[in-house]
Amino acid sequence: TNGFVSLFNGKDLTHWAMLPDKPPAFAVVNGILETKPCNGSDLFSVETYGNFVFRFEYLLSKVGNSGVLIRCDPKNPWGTGMEVQLLAPWTPYRDDLHCTASLYGLVAVTNRPDETTGIWHQMEIVCDRKTIKVSVDGKLATVGNADAVAGLKDKQLAGMIGFQSNHSNEGEFAQFRNMEIRNLDADPEYVKAGFRDEDARIRTLAQAAAVGLGAPMVAPLAKTLDEGNVMAQTGAKQALFDIAAKATAPQTSSGDKKAVVRALKASLKAKPSDITATYLKWLLAMVQGD
């Protein structure tokens, strides 16, 4: 619903993978994802995500210690991405920079969440280009922006989502359920907005997302060509070419190719400027093999 798709079926680790060089630390127990063994392999999504809304419920044991890794490379999770902390309130040493909902060691919480153990809480993590927001039980707890926080500037803008293995004592645990994600990069209008961003990294990611979406991006990109932003026009022109080129690749299905043809024809019927129309006609001829 509302664009969210489930990332956990309650039966197995479909959508997820552990590292082969470490002992497994996650298992599905009675329909719940649980990490109990200490310091085993973290768990990572199979897919890469850049901009998204990730929701899940979690329950920590009395001294439970885990975390959610975002936009990371599993080979170097904390160097490339960051951790949203999940920590039971047992230690006097944890502060707002290292407690539940903090971007661990990088961004402190500004509204401390309920940290009661032994009960289910809901967390929502929003990665919106250079802004990250963390909410617990419907209340905003943490906001970080890469332009304002030095430690976020060099972090990846896309990567895997992960869950940290149990980092507490033997017998302690963290549990997770009702995991779902809304991929913002699947929304053509959201992707289109990225072409106007001043940050070249965001424009590059928007271009990659557009090419991945294919036909649904043709109309938004065609409109971008006529909107007067030279920077956005340059990226949109290249993305349209890449979509057309991809449609002609041998491995592309006939259905996907036809969808691009229909999208190009529809954009031409929308009466773009003469310059844009000329470009769209050229792309259409390329896809059709004329």
Side-chain angles (χ1 to χ4, degrees), residues 238-261:
Q238 182 63 52
L240 280 166
F241 176 83
D242 291 342
I243 289 170
K246 184 179 177 182
T248 67
Q251 64 270 27
T252 299
S253 70
S254 60
D256 286 345
K257 181 176 180 178
K258 290 176 181 177
V260 172
V261 168

Side-chain angles (χ1 to χ4, degrees), residues 158-216:
M160 275 56 171
I161 296 172
F163 284 99
Q164 185 186 47
S165 66
N166 174 32
H167 274 216
S168 189
N169 302 324
E170 198 69 44
E172 299 298 326
F173 59 86
Q175 296 178 332
F176 308 95
R177 68 184 186 187
N178 295 331
M179 295 148 53
E180 59 180 8
I181 192 165
R182 178 158 67 94
N183 185 1
L184 299 177
D185 290 321
D187 178 352
E189 289 301 320
Y190 181 89
V191 173
K192 176 187 173 184
F195 281 79
R196 306 178 72 91
D197 200 284
E198 294 293 329
D199 192 317
R201 296 187 304 157
I202 290 177
R203 296 198 304 274
T204 297
L205 288 172
Q207 187 168 323
V211 176
L213 287 176

Side-chain angles (χ1 to χ4, degrees), residues 226-250:
D226 285 339
E227 289 176 353
N229 183 309
V230 175
M231 181 176 62
Q233 287 172 330
T234 301
K237 189 174 184 179
Q238 182 63 52
L240 280 166
F241 176 83
D242 291 342
I243 289 170
K246 184 179 177 182
T248 67

Side-chain angles (χ1 to χ4, degrees), residues 134-172:
V134 182
S135 300
V136 176
D137 298 330
K139 297 178 181 179
L140 184 64
T142 310
V143 179
N145 184 281
D147 288 333
V149 180
L152 298 181
K153 290 185 185 297
D154 296 326
K155 297 295 186 180
Q156 292 185 160
L157 291 172
M160 275 56 171
I161 296 172
F163 284 99
Q164 185 186 47
S165 66
N166 174 32
H167 274 216
S168 189
N169 302 324
E170 198 69 44
E172 299 298 326

Side-chain angles (χ1 to χ4, degrees), residues 4-152:
F4 281 89
V5 296
S6 174
L7 284 185
F8 179 55
N9 61 18
K11 299 176 182 178
D12 55 38
L13 294 178
T14 300
H15 303 302
W16 302 91
M18 284 180 275
L19 300 177
D21 58 343
K22 288 188 176 183
F26 287 83
V28 179
V29 181
N30 296 324
I32 292 171
L33 177 65
E34 181 177 82
T35 176
K36 204 166 187 178
C38 296
N39 301 313
S41 172
D42 300 321
L43 187 71
F44 297 96
S45 63
V46 174
E47 297 293 330
T48 295
Y49 298 97
N51 302 295
F52 57 86
V53 181
F54 181 45
R55 293 175 180 168
F56 61 95
E57 294 179 348
Y58 66 93
L59 182 152
L60 300 178
S61 63
K62 188 174 181 181
V63 292
N65 185 353
S66 182
V68 186
L69 300 159
I70 53 176
R71 289 176 168 174
C72 71
D73 181 341
K75 295 178 181 178
N76 182 18
W78 285 267
T80 56
M82 63 211 81
E83 177 191 351
V84 179
Q85 175 70 301
L86 295 172
L87 179 65
W90 58 272
T91 168
Y93 302 106
R94 61 166 179 73
D95 55 17
D96 288 348
L97 196 58
H98 302 88
C99 68
T100 291
S102 66
L103 297 184
Y104 188 82
L106 297 171
V107 181
V109 300
T110 52
N111 181 26
R112 195 73 170 247
D114 177 12
E115 297 171 291
T116 305
T117 59
I119 66 171
W120 289 99
H121 300 278
Q122 186 193 63
M123 177 172 281
E124 179 180 274
I125 301 170
V126 180
C127 287
D128 180 6
R129 300 196 168 100
K130 290 194 279 189
T131 299
I132 298 169
K133 298 179 181 180
V134 182
S135 300
V136 176
D137 298 330
K139 297 178 181 179
L140 184 64
T142 310
V143 179
N145 184 281
D147 288 333
V149 180
L152 298 181

